[in-house]
Amino acid sequence: MTFVAERFAEIRPLVEMEAQLARAAIAARGRFYEGDEAAIRYALSLARAVYVRAPDGRDVAVSRLLRPLRERLVQLLWPLLDPQRLQIASPHELLPAARAAADAARTARDEVMAALGHRLPLESLDREVRDRHLVLICGGGGGTGYVHLAAFALLEAAGLQPALIAGSSMGAILGLFRAREKRFDMARIPEILADLTYRKIFRIIPQASVYGLPGPLRLHLRAAIGHWFRNADGSAVRISELPIPLLVTVTGIRRGKLPRPLEDYEQLLEVPDEDPARWGLHTLHRSVQRLTEAVQELARIPRLTHKLVFGSNEETRQADAIDAAGFSASVPGVIHYDVARDDPRMKNLLTELLRKHNLLRLCDGGISDNVPVRTAWQHVQRVGLGGNGSRNAVFLALDSFAPRLLTPLWYPLQSIAAPAVARNRPYAHLYKAFRRTLSPLALLPSQRALSGIVARAKEELLGEIPVLQRLCAPIPAL
């Protein structure tokens, strides 16, 4: 078990109990005394703290001092807030546990202050415990990812603004659109799609592979949507300039590890038209089978791939945001994205990135991390959120590409991504696998299809919004 996994294993019961507490409070329909709920929330939030940002900008480690509190809360609360419990705990059951949890939290807080008060004011610790931040994770899956728009709209209506967005593949592209403005306007999406055609986005023309893994379809993302990501002076928006911080996962292929010659990916699929919706049934089945084989090769060979997270450090934060999303959405042997333009700054950045990690090419982030919850959690623990470096985050993970027997054509590809998603899932307070989505090939859906799937996705997600609101609400003082 890695150090990160060990650290999360300690706080995982607290994350699960937080979500279950929110459900219990909602089920109580006002019969749960707010002071008791607040006391449990404060205790769980304090027990989860690992680092707290002091006024001098340094991070102070508090996790070791809070271990007795974690153990005490698991003893007190787990029998009542175990997610596998058949019945949600009642206010009557939670009352004595809430009082005991409050006492334990006060004792733990006093011990932290006695040991670290010379470096960490009580106000800083209290702010870290009480302020909550939403982290939104958008999984990949081609056209299936349009269900994320439903989440964007519901969160906006509920007054929940992400403090950080993480995405892979299509989730990175949609996450990029969400990150470009603090407020989300669903009305802009049809406007954007109406301006796009498959021939504007894709080209079946020869193009040298410099940084991206080859494929017959060339993704011209900058030409298609680049005007949405330009600064006032005409320069491309960098990740560091986005109003909402963004993490984009990209898969790197290590040098000397590729299972087949590089040029084979150029001819892996027969592409009769830029528009996948026009491919014949025979071509579609053969293409998906070949794609599955190619992705399996990349996913099953140990140490063949290396996950890059654009936006996680200062070097990659200076990358053009649209390039990061383009590489994350480049499917091996199908879609090729590259930086072929005259752009010395981006080319130097990518060349140095490949050299540093001994990588041959870049491709779809979904191969290494299709729903990057753990990636987002690690980033928050390492860097923090906002100006005060808070680690107190609520993680909402959206998975549009979970395996479904009703879509047998795509089931093998979905099953390849599923094990990594399963390992990531515990890091989320709320994980949503959508039951109904568009086809992965529906990259440019009609207005009617988009409206329909967004409406159905809202219905699926609507029940989780009150839970999320309760989790994200500021915690009253103890």
Side-chain angles (χ1 to χ4, degrees):
M1 184 180 288
T2 65
F3 175 71
V4 170
E6 287 179 358
R7 175 179 290 174
F8 181 74
E10 273 198 80
I11 69 170
R12 177 177 176 176
L14 309 176
V15 172
E16 294 178 349
M17 287 191 291
E18 279 184 318
Q20 195 66 3
L21 175 65
R23 292 189 171 92
I26 292 170
R29 300 179 183 275
R31 293 179 292 110
F32 193 6
Y33 174 52
E34 290 183 3
D36 291 332
E37 180 190 0
I40 297 176
R41 291 186 69 207
Y42 189 101
L44 290 172
S45 184
L46 175 62
R48 281 194 299 105
V50 176
Y51 296 107
V52 179
R53 185 71 50 86
D56 62 4
R58 292 184 296 179
D59 288 330
V60 180
V62 297
S63 180
R64 180 180 58 82
L65 294 170
L66 294 171
R67 183 171 291 122
L69 175 61
R70 289 193 289 272
E71 294 171 353
R72 177 63 174 149
L73 292 180
V74 169
Q75 179 187 30
L76 281 171
L77 299 172
W78 187 256
L80 302 173
L81 297 176
D82 179 356
Q84 303 302 319
R85 197 174 191 259
L86 294 179
Q87 286 186 322
I88 292 179
S90 68
H92 176 72
E93 290 178 292
L94 285 167
L95 181 93
R99 308 293 163 82
D103 290 340
R106 290 189 187 94
T107 300
R109 187 178 62 183
D110 292 345
E111 290 176 353
V112 171
M113 286 297 98
L116 300 173
H118 62 291
R119 299 172 55 197
L120 184 67
L122 177 59
E123 293 78 13
S124 297
L125 177 63
D126 205 44
R127 182 180 60 241
E128 171 64 21
V129 173
R130 295 174 59 194
D131 292 347
R132 308 303 301 269
H133 306 272
L134 175 63
V135 175
L136 179 62
I137 297 93
C138 302
T144 68
Y146 281 107
V147 292
H148 301 334
L149 297 176
F152 298 169
L154 286 176
L155 294 176
E156 183 68 26
L160 299 173
Q161 185 180 100
L164 174 71
I165 298 172
S168 279
S169 198
M170 188 61 162
I173 293 177
L174 293 172
L176 174 59
F177 271 102
R178 179 63 190 90
R180 66 183 289 271
E181 292 180 329
K182 286 284 190 179
R183 302 292 301 272
F184 177 71
D185 184 2
M186 184 65 191
R188 303 295 294 273
I189 300 300
E191 175 189 347
I192 294 168
L193 288 174
D195 186 43
L196 298 178
T197 64
Y198 279 101
R199 294 188 182 277
K200 184 179 288 188
I201 295 179
F202 297 113
R203 299 286 190 277
I204 309 176
I205 55 174
Q207 178 179 306
S209 163
V210 182
Y211 303 105
L213 197 65
L217 282 176
R218 273 71 185 189
L219 178 59
H220 287 244
L221 201 60
R222 185 178 291 264
I225 61 173
H227 57 284
W228 293 97
F229 300 98
R230 291 196 188 116
N231 293 310
D233 62 1
S235 62
V237 171
R238 302 182 188 184
I239 294 178
S240 62
E241 297 170 330
L242 291 168
I244 298 177
L246 177 69
L247 301 178
V248 175
T249 59
V250 175
T251 300
I253 306 297
R254 297 188 189 275
R255 292 186 181 277
K257 302 290 185 179
L258 205 59
R260 61 176 76 195
L262 192 63
E263 56 272 15
D264 278 15
Y265 291 90
E266 191 83 27
Q267 289 85 35
L268 187 64
L269 300 185
E270 299 174 12
V271 180
D273 193 283
E274 286 98 338
D275 182 353
R278 296 180 181 175
W279 297 358
L281 190 61
H282 178 68
T283 299
L284 176 59
H285 277 266
R286 188 171 62 234
S287 298
V288 173
Q289 183 179 13
R290 289 180 179 177
L291 172 59
T292 302
E293 292 171 357
V295 172
Q296 277 180 329
E297 290 175 346
L298 298 180
R300 74 187 179 196
I301 300 177
R303 293 184 291 278
L304 185 153
T305 60
H306 173 77
K307 181 174 64 179
L308 295 173
V309 184
F310 282 75
S312 64
N313 55 35
E314 189 55 35
E315 177 187 17
T316 57
R317 275 169 47 82
Q318 297 311 312
D320 289 359
I322 201 165
D323 286 332
F327 283 116
S328 185
S330 57
V331 182
V334 182
I335 298 174
H336 173 215
Y337 185 84
D338 230 312
V339 177
R341 63 187 184 276
D342 183 18
D343 190 341
R345 187 189 66 82
M346 267 306 297
K347 288 184 176 180
N348 289 338
L349 188 153
L350 292 169
T351 299
E352 177 59 21
L353 202 60
L354 266 60
R355 184 202 63 78
K356 181 187 296 185
H357 298 284
N358 193 32
L359 301 177
L360 175 67
R361 290 291 188 275
L362 305 176
C363 67
D364 192 346
I367 291 175
S368 55
D369 202 358
N370 200 47
V371 185
V373 196
R374 184 174 182 266
T375 293
W377 185 86
Q378 285 180 289
H379 178 79
V380 170
Q381 295 303 314
R382 183 173 59 85
V383 177
L385 296 167
N388 59 11
S390 175
R391 273 83 174 185
N392 194 351
V394 176
F395 294 82
L396 170 62
L398 307 175
D399 186 2
S400 63
F401 204 57
R404 290 175 292 159
L405 292 175
L406 294 177
T407 55
L409 178 63
W410 302 103
Y411 189 84
L413 267 177
Q414 293 168 334
S415 299
I416 295 172
V421 174
R423 291 192 295 271
N424 278 350
R425 183 172 175 173
Y427 290 82
H429 285 81
L430 296 176
Y431 163 85
K432 176 59 183 175
F434 290 91
R435 297 189 301 272
R436 299 184 67 180
T437 66
L438 296 176
S439 163
L441 296 180
L443 301 178
L444 294 179
S446 67
Q447 176 61 48
R448 181 178 180 181
L450 181 66
S451 298
I453 201 61
V454 167
R456 288 191 289 270
K458 282 182 178 180
E459 292 175 1
E460 286 192 45
L461 190 58
L462 191 60
E464 298 290 2
I465 296 299
V467 178
L468 200 60
Q469 285 178 305
R470 217 157 190 114
L471 285 170
C472 291
I475 300 174
L478 184 64

